[in-house]
Amino acid sequence: MKQSSFVRSAALLFGFAFLYAPIALLVIYSFNASRLVTVWGGFSTRWYGSLLENDQLIASAWISLRIALVSALIATIVGTCAAIALARFGRFRGRLAFSSMIYAPLVMPEVITGLSLLLLFVALDIPRGFWTVVVAHATLGMCFVAVVVHARLLTLDRSLEEAAMDLGATPGGALLRVTLPLAAPSILAGYALAFILSIDDVVIASFTSGPGSTTLPMRIYSQVRLGVTPEINAVSTILIGMVALILAVGVLTSLRSDASVRD
Amino acid sequence: MSAAPLITFEHVTKRYGAVTAVDDVSLEIGAGEFFALLGPSGCGKTTLMRLIAGFETPDAGRILIDGRDMADMPPHARPVNMMFQSYALFPHMDVARNIGFGLAQAGQPKAAIAARVAELLRLVQLEGLGARKPDQLSGGQRQRVALARALARKPRLVLLDEPLAALDRKLREETQFELMRLQRELGTAFMLVTHDQDEAMVMAHRIAVMRAGRIEQLGAPRAIYEVPASRFVAGFIGEVNLFEGVVARVEDGLAFVRLNGLNALVCAAVEGAVGASVTLAVRPERMLLELVRDEGLPGVVLDSAYRGDTQVARVRLANGSLVRIARFGAALMPERGAAVRVSFAPDAARVLPA
């Protein structure tokens, strides 16, 4: 008994170490005073300071942030509409096809998604840049939003909407005043998910971005090929912190809303 | 019932695929009436109610409210409000906003809504709870909020979908009288949908007993209980003993029926031609049970139960059929295994169509 519990905690420890040790190492080395990435030269925040003077990285970070904010917004609006259509419009023609198609991009290799979008943009003769990356990320993100919001809508009692209509609300009014407020936590979670997907994507962005729209992950990737600098560690640490924060907020809001609905 | 009916069903039919949920139903409900739709689950009573609310559209026939055809009238434009079985209170709104939702949708000014909400909270005895969220209320309180919300717009008809199903037994009885009081004082027509015959009998002025999409019988509770129109109604509302036999002779309006499997004649004040097969229905409390008597059907007491206000015995007759007998008061029932004679007064029996 004692033996097996020891084995179990060892396995757990190993698993988590496997997941998080590289990240921890990266965070630790971002505070390295030495210019050499692999040699510890004492604690320092100098790389965070020099980051502020690296205009290229700052510009890319700014582009990434704007792309993530805008594409997540589009993904949330379109994805929520898709979720409502799938959950509420009964058994329209081709409903099954649509509901399986919404899941397809989740499992599609990103290289293929990126390549197909690139072909589309070239075929339509659209110059690649900020907006093409936004559209590409919105396409990917909306599927995740649709899945999250759809799951939530299925758990909502249909009679809530019927009650709203019975009390004089038009179908649109019922959606606005009852369904959407109750689905709000999942919509917010969907937004956070789409935001994270966008801000850490390299593959799709590489295919769809143009000159002047190099995102932060693309910049990091291209610089790493020339050698890892402590600055990259610093900017990665900031990125990790941001994603962790968004995840934590998302988990907390969905926990709270679950608790309020269950009672 | 008043001259102009509030709700009129004209040959309404509703199908779901191969299932006919409502089958050619014609019905009138008067203004100010407490009407009950009673039937087992799956009989179409819920569909009928949803047709009135507008959540379903009939495949054939017409539904009129106040003489107006409801064919193209969406739910939000109909002068009826519904109290849902699940109550369907909006979890993200407090009690006052729940009750005032319909008034806000109608575009009423804030002050008028607040006044009406306060009045309704008083009516359902929930004063001071307006700021609570639904998840901070007990089951009984939620039920009252749902009722107040359905009454807020002063609808012509309030639809109650199994309103007491989620309440415990004691609260259920209190709430029955409460609903009756409200209905009387407001003068609004109520339509109760229930599978509980007690509930329908206690509260409703008229009951429609439904079965397989059709109305099997429509009438006052007393009429339905005393003169059931069919074997199904007799069995669904209360208990009943059925005696099958053939009319042997008719004298002075009394039919003498020879019971199948028994060499015995019973006398009943019913219509029937000589030689016709009939089924006689007799309520357990109209059965007589005696230890020694020449007349009556001989049988043996199978078991008996003491229920406080009533006592019940089951007697097995010579042809193997069981007869239930109920008796009010404290007089002792014969013991298990006692040989007895059962009978009934001629006016206690009703003829049911075979």
Side-chain angles (χ1 to χ4, degrees), chain A residues 156-171 173-174 176-179 181-182 259-263, chain B residues 50 53 55 75-78 80-82 84 86 88-93 98 101-103 105 135 142 149-150 153:
Chain A
L156 282 184
D157 187 357
R158 274 310 291 271
S159 58
L160 289 171
E161 281 165 43
E162 287 182 346
M165 287 190 262
D166 186 63
L167 292 164
T170 58
L176 215 62
R177 283 182 189 79
V178 174
T179 314
L182 290 174
S260 76
V261 166
R262 204 171 301 129
D263 280 332
Chain B
R50 291 174 61 85
F55 297 129
H76 59 86
R78 298 193 181 198
V80 297
N81 282 131
M82 182 159 156
F84 290 76
S86 63
L89 298 178
F90 306 129
H92 58 303
M93 299 181 191
N98 260 288
F101 185 88
L103 305 169
Q105 291 302 308
D135 59 10
R142 278 185 226 185
R149 193 177 67 173
R153 285 160 67 100

Side-chain angles (χ1 to χ4, degrees), chain A residues 69-99:
Chain A
L69 286 171
V70 176
S71 71
L73 185 69
I74 296 171
T76 304
I77 292 167
V78 180
T80 303
C81 290
I84 290 167
L86 288 174
R88 288 295 182 260
F89 288 174
R91 307 198 156 272
F92 59 84
R93 242 176 118 80
R95 180 175 174 275
L96 187 70
F98 275 108
S99 62

Side-chain angles (χ1 to χ4, degrees), chain A residues 56 59-61 63-64 67 209-219 222:
Chain A
Q56 271 196 325
S60 290
I63 288 169
S64 267
I67 287 175
S209 73
S213 64
T214 307
T215 63
L216 186 59
M218 283 170 70
R219 177 76 64 197
S222 65

Side-chain angles (χ1 to χ4, degrees), chain B residues 281-344:
Chain B
V282 186
R283 296 289 180 189
E285 68 274 14
R286 303 293 297 271
M287 296 294 303
L288 304 169
L289 178 103
E290 262 141 318
L291 282 168
V292 277
R293 200 175 169 196
D294 296 339
E295 293 162 35
L297 309 167
V300 176
V301 176
L302 190 68
D303 44 28
S304 64
Y306 177 74
R307 282 187 182 163
D309 54 348
T310 53
Q311 299 175 78
V312 189
R314 296 198 299 166
V315 173
R316 191 179 290 286
L317 299 183
N319 67 351
S321 60
L322 278 180
V323 176
R324 294 181 65 98
I325 295 146
R327 198 183 259 179
F328 298 95
L332 280 176
M333 278 288 208
E335 297 272 318
R336 219 169 81 83
V340 293
R341 296 260 176 174
V342 298
S343 60
F344 51 86

Side-chain angles (χ1 to χ4, degrees), chain A residues 32 49 60 95 125 137 213 230 236:
Chain A
N32 191 358
S60 290
R95 180 175 174 275
D125 201 19
H137 282 176
S213 64
S236 303

